[in-house]
Amino acid sequence: MAFEQFELACADNGDIRLLQVTDTHLFAKDEHNLLGINTSDSYQRVVEEIRHSQQSYDWVLATGDLSQDHSKDSYRRFANITRQLEKPCFWLPGNHDFRPHTTALSESGIIDAKHLISEHWQIIMLDTQVTGKPMGLLSSEQLEGLATALQQYPEKSVLICMHHQAVPVGSRWLDQHNLKNADEFFQVVAGCSKVRAVLFGHVHQNFEMEHRGIAFMASPSTCIQFLPLSAHFALDHQQPGWRYITLKSDGTISTRVCRLAERTFLPDPDSKGY
Ligand SMILES: Nc1ncnc2c1ncn2[C@@H]1O[C@@H]2COP(=O)(O)O[C@H]2[C@H]1O
Ligand SMILES: [Fe+2]
């Protein structure tokens, strides 16, 4: 199995400049919220802040859990807010996404391609969803597609994106919902020294760690934040955020996480989960 390919143009200096938004958890209805945060308002504020920032980016990557209520309208809402960024957006599914209704994404201009190719880099967007379960798993088709992509362009540096964490983030309650066959994933990437980074969502926090020579990076959600290194479910009062990533032509990466400055979005302190 091979993934459908999409050619990525680079900036004048050869860089691939990315913006990651993740875990928007949107609803169809304007007034619905997740643990006290109106997820539409928080994503809209994030997009406004990105528009006002000086940082340039050419492509948007959305790394799953775009919807919280499974509705087609929640995916239309995602596309409508994301459109304001005025850059092409690629997406991959998280555990909360509902595949029969994600068709609303492509109908609204969000790009479905999962294998993005540029002169010096390839970006591979993997599907780790197990329908109805919070944990992640790479199917044999996904592992085969990954292996095929790595073999096809052995000279290109690689960024792999997926929703779930392939390495523990250090919170017991959250790490039980991890990528269950991370060992199989590592077997496939072990054959390729060009894998530079794995970018993920799901953990609703800024996380950066090097493991087996690969940079693992997760980013704040655009809505609720989980408290890092907590054994039990706990929310953080940090604000919604996003990440910029620059893939340079020499195979190196520079990255930066940003958050909303004003403390507008505060979750319900009595939340026990969702
Ligand atoms: N209190 C909790 N304990 C364990 N898991 C939870 C709890 N609350 C929510 N979850 C699950 O953990 C997941 C982590 O992030 P998600 O947004 O994917 O969705 C969350 C839920 O599926
Ligand atoms: Fe998730």
Side-chain angles (χ1 to χ4, degrees), residues 23 25 65 94-96 134 163-164 202 204:
D23 298 86
H25 290 270
D65 283 0
N95 47 302
H96 284 282
H163 182 68
H164 290 85
H202 191 50
H204 294 227

Side-chain angles (χ1 to χ4, degrees), residues 16-127:
I16 302 288
R17 301 180 302 190
L18 307 170
L19 164 71
Q20 181 198 15
V21 292
T22 195
D23 298 86
T24 49
H25 290 270
L26 296 167
F27 296 89
K29 292 233 159 48
D30 287 341
E31 66 276 15
H32 278 184
N33 70 73
L34 181 63
L35 309 185
I37 289 185
N38 183 306
T39 57
S40 178
D41 288 353
S42 63
Y43 186 37
Q44 180 62 47
R45 270 298 297 130
V46 161
V47 163
E48 281 163 14
E49 202 57 36
I50 293 167
R51 281 168 58 88
H52 287 125
S53 97
Q54 300 300 314
Q55 179 99 24
S56 303
Y57 58 93
D58 300 305
W59 310 95
V60 182
L61 303 180
T63 46
D65 283 0
L66 308 185
S67 169
Q68 178 65 18
D69 69 359
H70 290 180
S71 67
K72 267 200 150 188
D73 277 345
S74 66
Y75 290 107
R76 290 191 189 106
R77 185 184 290 280
F78 176 82
N80 287 339
I81 299 177
T82 305
R83 190 172 299 120
Q84 298 165 31
L85 293 168
E86 297 178 338
K87 300 287 177 192
C89 176
F90 302 91
W91 76 284
L92 56 77
N95 47 302
H96 284 282
D97 288 305
F98 184 61
R99 298 313 288 265
H101 287 169
T102 58
T103 48
L105 291 171
S106 38
E107 287 160 14
S108 312
I110 305 293
I111 307 170
D112 216 25
K114 306 299 182 207
H115 189 183
L116 321 181
I117 317 280
S118 76
E119 189 181 351
H120 301 287
W121 283 82
Q122 55 173 329
I123 303 175
I124 304 163
M125 313 271 286
L126 296 175
D127 177 353

